[in-house]
């Protein structure tokens, strides 16, 4: 499956945290109260908002993303992850 086959969704919310593991992970608090994790996996025009630490906790953002099933070697399972394809500070 290629990125062109993916279904993109847009989510608006406030940055809860940005952490670095193997990748940059942004936790987003949605208006519904749900918290969703998004992974920065590839470069795009506004990726610098994360890579250059421009975004701060509680900043309001709009994230375009798509889902992929990634293999988690620790749990021996495929898990669905949200991959950021675009990001805007609102």
């Amino acid at each position: 499956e290629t990125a062109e086959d993916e279904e993109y969704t847009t989510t608006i919310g406030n940055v809860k945290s940005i952490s670095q593991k193997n990748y940059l992970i942004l936790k987003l608090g949605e208006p519904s109260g749900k918290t969703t994790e998004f992974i920065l996996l590839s470069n795009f025009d506004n990726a610098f908002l994360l890579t250059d630490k421009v975004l701060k906790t509680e900043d309001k953002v709009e994230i375009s993303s798509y889902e992929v099933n990634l293999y988690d070697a620790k749990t021996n399972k495929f898990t669905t992850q949200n991959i950021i394809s675009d990001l805007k500070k609102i």
Side-chain angles (χ1 to χ4, degrees):
E1 234 176 61
T2 63
E4 288 79 37
D5 298 333
E6 303 291 350
E7 186 177 313
Y8 290 86
T9 57
T10 301
T11 312
I12 295 174
N14 294 82
V15 176
K16 288 293 173 204
S17 67
I18 298 169
S19 58
Q20 294 175 312
K21 293 181 183 161
N22 291 341
Y23 305 100
L24 276 175
I25 298 173
L26 183 151
K27 284 191 181 176
L28 187 74
E30 297 178 38
S32 66
K34 178 179 165 192
T35 300
T36 306
E37 254 184 30
F38 294 89
I39 299 174
L40 178 64
L41 205 58
S42 57
N43 198 7
F44 51 86
D45 287 348
N46 292 334
F48 74 91
L49 291 172
L50 282 170
T51 58
D52 295 351
K53 299 178 174 57
V54 174
L55 289 178
K56 304 289 181 226
T57 302
E58 292 308 318
D59 280 352
K60 191 168 187 180
V61 294
E62 179 180 298
I63 297 177
S64 295
S65 64
Y66 59 94
E67 291 184 343
V68 294
N69 286 316
L70 298 178
Y71 184 73
D72 186 333
K74 287 181 188 160
T75 63
N76 253 1
K77 291 189 233 172
F78 282 93
T79 59
T80 301
Q81 301 292 332
N82 298 300
I83 307 302
I84 302 171
S85 57
D86 195 17
L87 177 65
K88 292 181 195 130
K89 187 173 173 185
I90 302 176

